[in-house]
């Protein structure tokens, strides 16, 4: 065997190309997981929930309405290949392969508080990148005021979509300044692994100061719009779920209090804890809502 110091084009055999592609692919998978990332200063110091808690107690109606359904049924969802349609008021619209879409993004680990509207909470170590970097790469046009997101529709792999419990696709939206806020993350992993399917693989939104339902999973479309986009739970029950969905202990859900929360895994002895305004991220985000009546804009 001879060793060459420099590889010339003529040395690149199909085998080398194949190996190269495999390396690129495993590099891509590593990018989605990124286990070696340092903890972002945006992180909370609270102790994270276990992987089993985070991947075993989910809301994902495409796979059923029970908290155990997503862990039981989401495993067979095909997440490779994955394409994301980008459209609306954006300089670089198109149908992107996921790897191309997220290439160049700075991956970080951020441990965030998560508060569900059902009054339970968790602490989750996400890996991902700021939505703002992606939007900047795509080129937001001057007239854009909102970002709309859509989840995959694939009833043959998403059994919950075989009935009309919700209007499919699941849709969500943010005001542009919320979307550009540095706390707003697109997650591709948690606990140093690619996202479990039940947590929204291959990409999902994480907005830590808003109730869990804003955090749309399995995103296949991102649109920049000049009008406020629809959001699934707001369409379903507007008196219960507003567009803003900011965690607000002073505004009760019509059917239960939002003043306190139950930390999953903490055990009965730990009791309930007070819910914080904006889920504890008020120093960072309260200014986004200055002058707004947050009881009317819930
Ligand atoms: N596509 C889709 N995204 C979704 C949901 C859903 O049913 N479908 N449920 C939402 C709700 S109500 C919550 S609380 C969070 C749960 O995220 P987790 O399972 O990763 O904790 O996902 C949100 N994103
Ligand atoms: Mo939720």
């Amino acid at each position: 065997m001879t060793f060459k110091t420099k590889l010339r084009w003529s040395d690149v055999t199909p085998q080398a190309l194949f190996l190269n592609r495999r390396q690129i692919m495993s590099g891509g998978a590593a990018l989605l997981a990124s286990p070696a990332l340092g903890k972002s200063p945006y992180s909370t110091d609270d102790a994270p929930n276990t992987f089993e808690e985070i991947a075993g107690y989910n809301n994902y109606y495409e796979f059923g309405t029970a908290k155990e359904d997503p862990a039981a049924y989401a495993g067979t969802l095909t997440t490779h290949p994955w394409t994301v349609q980008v459209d609306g008021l954006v300089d670089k619209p198109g149908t992107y392969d996921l790897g191309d879409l997220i290439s160049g993004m700075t991956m970080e680990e951020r441990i965030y508080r998560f508060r569900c509207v059902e009054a339970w909470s968790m602490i989750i170590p996400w890996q991902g990148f700021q939505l703002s970097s992606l939007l900047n790469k795509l080129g937001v046009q001057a007239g854009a005021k909102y970002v709309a997101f859509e989840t995959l529709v694939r009833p043959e792999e998403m059994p919950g979509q075989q009935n009309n419990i919700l209007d499919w696709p699941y849709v969500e939206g943010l005001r542009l300044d919320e979307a550009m806020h540095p706390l707003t993350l697109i997650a591709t992993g948690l606990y140093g692994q690619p996202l479990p399917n039940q947590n929204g693989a291959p990409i999902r939104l994480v907005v830590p100061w808003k109730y869990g339902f804003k955090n749309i999973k399995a995103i296949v479309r991102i649109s920049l719009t000049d009008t406020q986009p629809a959001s699934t739970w707001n369409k379903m029950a507007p008196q219960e779920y507003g567009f803003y969905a900011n965690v607000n202990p002073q505004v009760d859900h019509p059917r239960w209090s939002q003043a306190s929360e139950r930390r999953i895994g903490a055990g009965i002895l730990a009791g309930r804890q007070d819910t914080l305004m904006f889920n504890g991220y008020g120093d960072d985000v309260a200014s986004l809502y200055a002058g707004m009546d947050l009881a009317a804009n819930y």
Side-chain angles (χ1 to χ4, degrees), residues 11 80 115 191 208 243 264 267 290:
D11 298 321
H80 300 275
R115 171 61 156 79
Y191 262 116
F243 174 81
I264 297 295

Side-chain angles (χ1 to χ4, degrees), residues 170-181:
Y170 195 100
V171 293
E172 259 305 341
L174 295 171
R175 221 169 55 191
L176 187 60
D177 58 344
E178 299 176 321
M180 297 300 282
H181 193 280

Side-chain angles (χ1 to χ4, degrees), residues 59 116-118 212-213:
N59 272 341
C116 185
V117 73
E118 294 161 294
F213 65 90

Side-chain angles (χ1 to χ4, degrees), residues 16 18 32 40 53 68 76 78 82 100 108 112 124 164 185 187 206 208 228 231 236 256-257 261 267 281-282 295 298:
F18 171 73
L32 289 173
S40 156
E53 287 160 353
E68 298 74 26
T76 50
T78 312
W82 193 267
D100 297 335
E108 317 174 47
Y112 276 169
I124 306 184
N164 56 7
L185 212 63
V206 181
Q228 184 175 296
S231 69
M236 168 98 180
W256 58 80
S257 165
E261 63 199 57
Y281 297 94
Y298 56 89

Side-chain angles (χ1 to χ4, degrees), residues 88-139:
L89 298 165
V90 67
D91 292 337
K92 295 174 188 152
T95 300
Y96 290 84
D97 174 71
L98 180 61
D100 297 335
L101 183 75
I102 72 175
S103 75
M105 299 296 103
T106 303
M107 303 295 290
E108 317 174 47
E109 170 164 83
R110 295 188 177 187
I111 303 175
Y112 276 169
R113 294 183 207 92
F114 178 91
R115 171 61 156 79
C116 185
V117 73
E118 294 161 294
W120 50 270
S121 62
M122 288 200 211
I123 306 292
I124 306 184
W126 298 110
Q127 284 86 46
F129 54 87
Q130 281 185 201
L131 175 58
S132 66
S133 336
L134 178 62
L135 294 177
N136 286 334
K137 168 172 145 174
L138 295 169

Side-chain angles (χ1 to χ4, degrees), residues 51-284:
F51 180 86
E52 288 68 28
E53 287 160 353
I54 296 166
Y57 191 86
N58 303 99
N59 272 341
Y60 199 170
Y61 276 34
E62 284 84 341
F63 296 100
T65 55
K67 301 284 181 265
E68 298 74 26
D69 286 343
Y73 304 120
T76 50
L77 177 70
T78 312
T79 58
H80 300 275
W82 193 267
T83 52
V84 179
Q85 180 184 338
V86 175
D87 55 18
L89 298 165
V90 67
D91 292 337
K92 295 174 188 152
T95 300
Y96 290 84
D97 174 71
L98 180 61
D100 297 335
L101 183 75
I102 72 175
S103 75
M105 299 296 103
T106 303
M107 303 295 290
E108 317 174 47
E109 170 164 83
R110 295 188 177 187
I111 303 175
Y112 276 169
R113 294 183 207 92
F114 178 91
R115 171 61 156 79
C116 185
V117 73
E118 294 161 294
W120 50 270
S121 62
M122 288 200 211
I123 306 292
I124 306 184
W126 298 110
Q127 284 86 46
F129 54 87
Q130 281 185 201
L131 175 58
S132 66
S133 336
L134 178 62
L135 294 177
N136 286 334
K137 168 172 145 174
L138 295 169
V140 177
Q141 294 185 345
K145 296 193 178 77
Y146 297 90
V147 187
F149 303 89
E150 266 181 42
T151 293
L152 178 71
V153 178
R154 193 182 287 158
E156 54 296 5
E157 287 188 353
M158 295 175 137
Q161 288 180 337
Q162 290 163 19
N163 65 50
N164 56 7
I165 179 120
L166 292 178
D167 221 3
W168 313 112
Y170 195 100
V171 293
E172 259 305 341
L174 295 171
R175 221 169 55 191
L176 187 60
D177 58 344
E178 299 176 321
M180 297 300 282
H181 193 280
L183 281 170
T184 303
L185 212 63
I186 293 288
T188 58
L190 66 83
Y191 262 116
Q193 308 180 30
L195 275 185
N197 284 357
Q198 57 268 38
N199 293 93
I203 52 164
R204 60 89 59 82
L205 182 66
V206 181
V207 193
W209 71 94
K210 291 178 182 280
Y211 290 115
F213 65 90
K214 281 305 248 194
N215 297 240
I216 184 171
K217 295 171 168 177
I219 296 166
V220 293
R221 185 174 178 194
I222 301 175
S223 311
L224 279 296
T225 67
D226 57 2
T227 50
Q228 184 175 296
S231 69
T232 286
W233 288 100
N234 180 244
K235 279 196 290 184
M236 168 98 180
Q239 68 291 352
E240 299 188 19
Y241 308 101
F243 174 81
Y244 282 94
N246 289 321
V247 175
N248 186 345
Q250 294 142 27
V251 176
D252 287 340
H253 184 280
R255 292 182 279 133
W256 58 80
S257 165
Q258 294 293 9
S260 68
E261 63 199 57
R262 174 176 66 92
R263 178 65 49 81
I264 297 295
I268 280 189
L269 291 178
R272 300 180 69 85
Q273 55 193 77
D274 289 347
T275 289
L276 301 173
M277 188 66 196
F278 298 113
N279 200 24
Y281 297 94
D283 288 350
D284 297 293

